[in-house]
Amino acid sequence: MSGGDDGTGRGPGGDGTGGGGGTRVGRITGSAVSFGDHGRAEYREAPRPAGADETTEALLDAVRTLREHLRLLTETAAASGLDGELAVVQGEIERTGQADPARLGRLRQRLETAAAAVAGLASTAAVVQVIAQLTG
């Protein structure tokens, strides 16, 4: 925690005003977070495909993350097409533990086509990097 918060959420004065402080979280993985008086959080780890190597698991994680991030963007034909290709790759890895190299090539092309629409998403770069590791 930062910004003078003592962990009670009441700020430095203990009066509930927050004292102008704040909390900054860089990245959370493997956790669930809830906010508010009646907040509720559940954590369910995504299933790991049988037979997937470490790099393919990294690709699956990156694909899932990018698909989540795409939902935040205004829908465009490029983003929809990319999400469709990502869904196919995700399903293939979840079923078989690997992705067909030709399919990864098509995904890479789709990422290049949609580059303008998804350029601001850091998760796009993660997918591209893992595809490069898998396909050379």
Side-chain angles (χ1 to χ4, degrees), residues 95-132:
R95 282 188 315 281
T96 69
Q98 55 189 317
D100 177 58
R103 186 169 313 283
L104 292 178
R106 287 192 296 276
L107 176 56
R108 182 184 269 179
Q109 287 178 323
R110 182 68 77 162
L111 285 162
E112 290 170 5
T113 301
V118 298
L121 299 176
S123 50
T124 303
V127 172
V128 171
Q129 288 173 350
V130 178
I131 289 173

Side-chain angles (χ1 to χ4, degrees), residues 43 45-52 54 56-61 64 93-94 97:
Y43 172 70
E45 190 166 323
R48 293 287 171 209
E54 193 173 302
T56 302
E57 286 188 15
L59 175 61
L60 181 57
D61 287 341
R64 286 175 175 154
I93 295 171
E94 289 172 346

Side-chain angles (χ1 to χ4, degrees), residues 67-82:
R67 291 193 72 211
E68 288 176 24
H69 292 173
L70 283 173
R71 290 184 188 105
L72 302 174
L73 298 177
T74 302
E75 190 169 330
T76 65
S80 292
L82 175 58

Side-chain angles (χ1 to χ4, degrees), residues 7-101:
T8 65
R10 298 178 187 263
D15 60 2
T17 62
T23 302
R24 182 173 114 27
V25 177
R27 180 176 179 173
I28 298 175
T29 58
S31 300
V33 178
S34 175
F35 298 94
D37 291 340
H38 302 288
R40 181 184 155 168
E42 290 183 33
Y43 172 70
R44 293 187 184 141
E45 190 166 323
R48 293 287 171 209
D53 63 20
E54 193 173 302
T55 306
T56 302
E57 286 188 15
L59 175 61
L60 181 57
D61 287 341
V63 164
R64 286 175 175 154
T65 299
L66 179 54
R67 291 193 72 211
E68 288 176 24
H69 292 173
L70 283 173
R71 290 184 188 105
L72 302 174
L73 298 177
T74 302
E75 190 169 330
T76 65
S80 292
L82 175 58
D83 184 58
E85 195 68 44
L86 289 164
V88 171
V89 168
Q90 179 179 340
E92 185 174 51
I93 295 171
E94 289 172 346
R95 282 188 315 281
T96 69
Q98 55 189 317
D100 177 58

